[in-house]
Amino acid sequence: MSSSRIVFSLVVLLLIGCRGTQWPPLAVVSEDGIDIAYSVHGPEGPAMVLVHGWGNNQTFFDPNVPSLSRNHRIVTLDLVGFGESGQDRTDWTMEAFGQDVVAVVHALELERPVLVGFSMGGAAVLEAAVSLGPRAAGVVLVDVFKDVNARTDAETREAVVNGMKSIWHQEEGFRAMIGPGAPDSLVQMVLERTPADPPEYWWDVLEEVLRWSSSDLTSTLRAVDVPIAAVNAAEPPTDVEAFRTYVPSFEVKTIPEVGHLGVLWLKPEAFNAALLTFVESMSSDSGG
């Protein structure tokens, strides 16, 4: 296996950064005074808040929103530091990203939304769910935290970040992250939408989410009082029993023959169907 694929495998829980056509933005101010761009799609009804991963922005859900918004109110947002949101944050923590999600939920006066977090967005929605309590209907994680007991030390985290810097914006890595059968056109689209020279603080964020996953994930899972489920790529497999140590009701649906990016982009219909199964169950359980 090449060094590029090894590094991308190490951060399969967290990636990839994309840019695309911008949604017409709305804005709310974050807890620390920074503008958060967000968009609303679809009719009134059961709401989903879709939260992107590291290096992404809200347009990363472009393949999914048109179908999901037919019968649901879909909210997408740019976490601070990404997309059209402000960049002046000084404390790049998962708790701060969670408060970005909370600010949008409050701005729209959403009741019982399902919080959906792709990759690093999973940390953001878990932190948001702790703050929102029963105001949220549930959490759906997307291809992240497949081994909740995985741990990394500071040296390993530094090596992962440096490795990512060394191979950033290379076609081979993006192709591997999309998955088997990724068409050249899709690989090129990812390359075109990904900044070749990301802001320096992105690397701080990457190191922080690795740290959070090692130190804060399991305690945060225990603190969430609403159902948690996941839609994941089939490989690497999800350690369901380990997850149920912290969330006994945890369930997962898997999408075969896709990579980390491919969960959303390679088989969007399969992802949407799996997500809606969880959303409908959580909305029904909450009385929404």
Side-chain angles (χ1 to χ4, degrees):
M1 181 181 288
S2 71
S3 60
S4 294
R5 288 182 183 270
I6 291 172
V7 173
F8 269 83
S9 295
L10 285 173
V11 293
V12 71
L13 304 180
L14 307 171
L15 303 178
I16 287 298
C18 295
R19 287 184 177 274
T21 304
Q22 298 297 314
W23 299 102
L26 302 168
V28 64
V29 177
S30 70
E31 186 178 56
D32 51 353
I34 305 168
D35 285 345
I36 304 167
Y38 68 94
S39 304
V40 182
H41 316 265
E44 295 291 335
M48 281 180 265
V49 181
L50 308 184
V51 183
H52 63 79
W54 178 78
N56 306 160
N57 60 53
Q58 62 179 303
T59 68
F60 192 71
F61 293 102
D62 280 2
N64 313 101
V65 167
S67 176
L68 291 175
S69 62
R70 289 174 190 160
N71 298 302
H72 294 79
R73 192 179 191 190
I74 304 300
V75 179
T76 58
L77 68 139
D78 292 329
L79 296 171
V80 168
F82 301 95
E84 295 301 305
S85 290
Q87 302 180 356
D88 296 332
R89 177 161 286 161
T90 57
D91 193 12
W92 297 102
T93 66
M94 297 305 106
E95 182 179 5
F97 287 134
Q99 290 306 310
D100 295 346
V101 179
V102 170
V104 173
V105 169
H106 285 313
L108 291 171
E109 300 182 346
L110 298 179
E111 295 297 335
R112 313 295 288 174
V114 175
L115 309 179
V116 182
F118 171 67
S119 199
M120 186 194 78
V125 297
L126 287 171
E127 289 283 5
V130 173
S131 292
L132 290 168
R135 181 164 181 169
V139 170
V140 180
L141 305 172
V142 182
D143 209 51
V144 69
F145 309 137
K146 292 182 174 184
D147 179 0
V148 295
N149 292 322
R151 300 290 182 265
T152 58
D153 58 23
E155 183 178 357
T156 300
R157 294 192 290 271
E158 182 179 4
V160 170
V161 171
N162 288 336
M164 277 301 303
K165 287 181 178 180
S166 71
I167 63 169
W168 180 256
H169 213 255
Q170 293 185 11
E171 180 176 337
E172 178 188 7
F174 287 119
R175 188 180 300 278
M177 293 292 286
I178 296 170
D184 290 342
S185 59
L186 188 54
V187 176
Q188 290 303 313
M189 185 182 300
V190 174
L191 282 167
E192 291 168 2
R193 295 185 178 196
T194 303
D197 186 21
E200 188 61 30
Y201 63 80
W202 279 16
W203 307 114
D204 296 334
V205 173
L206 177 55
E207 186 169 2
E208 171 60 15
V209 69
L210 289 166
R211 186 209 62 77
W212 185 93
S213 300
S214 290
S215 62
D216 298 336
L217 169 59
T218 55
S219 61
T220 304
L221 289 173
R222 290 189 189 278
V224 174
D225 290 329
V226 296
I228 301 174
V231 181
N232 292 339
E235 296 295 334
T238 305
D239 190 336
V240 176
E241 293 310 311
F243 210 111
R244 286 178 178 165
T245 302
Y246 307 97
V247 184
S249 63
F250 175 75
E251 298 289 342
V252 61
K253 294 184 180 296
T254 57
I255 311 295
E257 300 180 343
V258 299
H260 185 57
L261 281 170
V263 171
L264 299 179
W265 282 36
L266 197 58
K267 295 186 178 181
E269 298 86 357
F271 169 77
N272 287 357
L275 174 61
L276 286 172
T277 298
F278 287 132
V279 169
E280 289 164 6
S281 174
M282 292 171 178
S283 298
S284 176
D285 289 345
S286 71

